[in-house]
Amino acid sequence: MGADHRAFLDATIPHLDVVWQVARHAAGKGQDPEDLVQETFLRAYAGFGSYRGGNTRAWLAAICLNAARSQARRRRRRPWEVPGPALLDALPWYRADGAEGAADVADVVIADLEAEKVSRCLALLPEPQRVCIVLVDVAGYTAREAAEALGCPRGTVLARVHRGRRRLAQLLAEAGVSHGQP
């Protein structure tokens, strides 16, 4: 059991940051991304004995997306449960790391507002487009890896990313996001 445990950790832990990024965007309102990451790794550990190798990153992303869908289905079946405040809304995406000195408070506030607008606009996209954009543009997957994680053709991923980016650009313009310009 120790060797299997070690093999699992060696194969999956390098991809923890990517799973976190996918979970942060896949978690719907009321879902905690940390819980989704934990569920992903629990499911991956349970299925590691039957895992035949290949692209571990895509395998973990597929598990994460399936876990998010399962949680969403459970939530729809239990409409009387009231989700708590979304952690994503409470945490700023931009944080000064102090490497270049203290950040200007106004810059931090503006960056937080812009990140919140981007997050809200991304949430308005249809799920297939949103998931493809998160995998390719946020998590850094190739189109082939995203296709493997989603179980669809590579061309489908490319089309969804293209359409999603166009729609996201429209939504961002309507929301007044500055696109990095003063």
Side-chain angles (χ1 to χ4, degrees):
M1 177 98 175
D4 289 342
H5 180 71
R6 180 39 113 197
F8 172 76
L9 291 176
D10 289 343
T12 59
I13 292 301
H15 306 292
L16 180 60
D17 289 342
V18 173
V19 172
W20 166 252
Q21 289 175 345
V22 172
R24 187 177 67 193
H25 292 285
K29 294 235 182 244
Q31 288 182 328
D32 197 356
E34 286 117 357
D35 289 342
L36 190 53
V37 169
Q38 182 177 11
E39 179 69 19
T40 299
F41 277 87
L42 287 172
R43 288 182 183 193
Y45 186 71
F48 192 67
S50 62
Y51 179 61
R52 301 288 177 231
N55 190 337
T56 305
R57 194 167 82 155
W59 178 64
L60 288 170
I63 292 171
C64 184
L65 292 170
N66 287 335
R69 288 181 187 121
S70 294
Q71 289 177 357
R73 278 192 301 273
R74 279 193 298 274
R75 243 190 3 263
R76 281 193 300 268
R77 287 191 301 243
R78 297 181 181 173
W80 57 85
E81 291 182 13
V82 178
L87 183 62
L88 183 58
D89 291 337
L91 293 176
W93 284 15
Y94 173 85
R95 296 184 184 175
D97 60 2
E100 300 177 12
D104 182 24
V105 173
D107 291 339
V108 172
V109 170
I110 290 169
D112 287 345
L113 291 174
E114 294 292 307
E116 184 177 325
K117 286 180 185 178
V118 170
S119 178
R120 289 196 175 133
C121 289
L122 189 61
L124 294 174
L125 293 176
E127 182 187 358
Q129 291 175 4
R130 181 177 64 247
V131 168
C132 287
I133 286 177
V134 167
L135 289 175
V136 173
D137 292 338
V138 178
Y141 281 47
T142 65
R144 186 174 313 281
E145 291 170 333
E148 186 178 324
L150 297 171
C152 65
R154 179 179 171 271
T156 300
V157 170
L158 291 172
R160 288 175 180 170
V161 167
H162 176 72
R163 280 189 232 110
R165 285 176 182 161
R166 282 192 5 221
R167 180 66 182 134
L168 184 59
Q170 291 172 340
L171 292 168
L172 291 171
E174 291 169 7
V177 175
S178 66
H179 304 291
Q181 300 163 350

